[in-house]
Amino acid sequence: ILPMGRIENIPSFTALLGIEKTPVILANVRREEKELILSLGRQQFFKQENIFFITDFTNTQEAEIEDMFADEFFLDLVRSSGIPVESPELIEDSRILELFEQQRNFDTLKPALKFMKEQHLLLPKLESITLNRFEDMFIKINESAPIDCNLVGW
């Protein structure tokens, strides 16, 4: 698993790294990007069946990795990382980060670092919906990875 940022970076990264096997791709989905991802698959930069969208696991129209977490858990994580969160109105079927996109200096790194550094305290607080989403994701990824492939988690 190699985080590459935007989906259009995949062909360049796989070529630069000399990846000969078809990578398994887990992609964030914003409305404007899903067709691009499918188009790259049709152009045979990678196998269509090796493309997974975060939305496959969140059952929403758009999603990023943060949407794999239950909304309240993620909001609490953001608050506890020192980012002020007013009473947000969560919009059905939208990305959780949309709540913060208008906020100046919002940085997804702060909650990510908090989660990483305090996972011994935070993992027991994860709700079953979050655990189920990640379990389903890793099962699908592992089923699609080549048998002799070494998977590296984050």
Side-chain angles (χ1 to χ4, degrees):
I1 297 172
L2 179 64
M4 295 185 217
R6 300 191 54 88
I7 194 71
E8 60 266 12
N9 295 342
I10 290 174
S12 300
F13 268 88
T14 55
L16 286 171
L17 296 172
I19 298 172
E20 295 177 17
K21 298 190 185 306
T22 301
V24 176
I25 296 165
L26 177 66
N28 292 337
V29 178
R30 292 186 180 190
R31 286 180 184 91
E32 67 275 7
E33 294 175 337
K34 191 166 189 173
E35 185 51 42
L36 172 62
I37 296 164
L38 294 172
S39 170
L40 289 171
R42 286 191 295 272
Q43 294 172 41
Q44 299 185 346
F45 283 107
F46 39 78
K47 292 181 184 176
Q48 294 265 76
E49 62 269 18
N50 284 12
I51 303 170
F52 297 99
F53 298 103
I54 299 288
T55 54
D56 294 339
F57 310 104
T58 61
N59 296 315
T60 56
Q61 293 294 312
E62 294 186 306
E64 297 176 88
I65 196 69
E66 293 84 358
D67 296 297
M68 294 286 282
F69 295 93
D71 291 342
E72 285 306 316
F73 176 88
F74 187 74
L75 292 172
D76 287 344
L77 179 63
V78 169
R79 283 183 193 103
S80 68
S81 66
I83 299 170
V85 177
E86 295 179 20
S87 300
E89 284 197 32
L90 296 174
I91 302 166
E92 185 77 24
D93 204 32
S94 65
R95 296 175 298 107
I96 190 109
L97 291 182
E98 284 183 36
L99 296 172
F100 306 104
E101 287 175 345
Q102 303 305 317
Q103 197 170 323
R104 281 191 167 162
N105 302 322
F106 178 74
D107 184 0
T108 57
L109 183 60
K110 284 183 179 182
L113 286 174
K114 172 118 178 136
F115 187 76
M116 185 181 71
K117 289 178 181 177
E118 296 183 16
Q119 56 185 287
H120 64 286
L121 299 171
L122 295 170
L123 288 175
K125 297 179 180 181
L126 290 176
E127 297 175 34
S128 61
I129 190 168
T130 300
L131 297 172
N132 292 338
R133 287 173 178 167
F134 278 100
E135 179 181 22
D136 291 347
M137 181 188 74
F138 281 109
I139 287 171
K140 295 274 189 198
I141 289 172
N142 288 334
E143 288 172 351
S144 297
I147 292 172
D148 61 344
C149 177
N150 292 322
L151 292 178
V152 179
W154 62 84

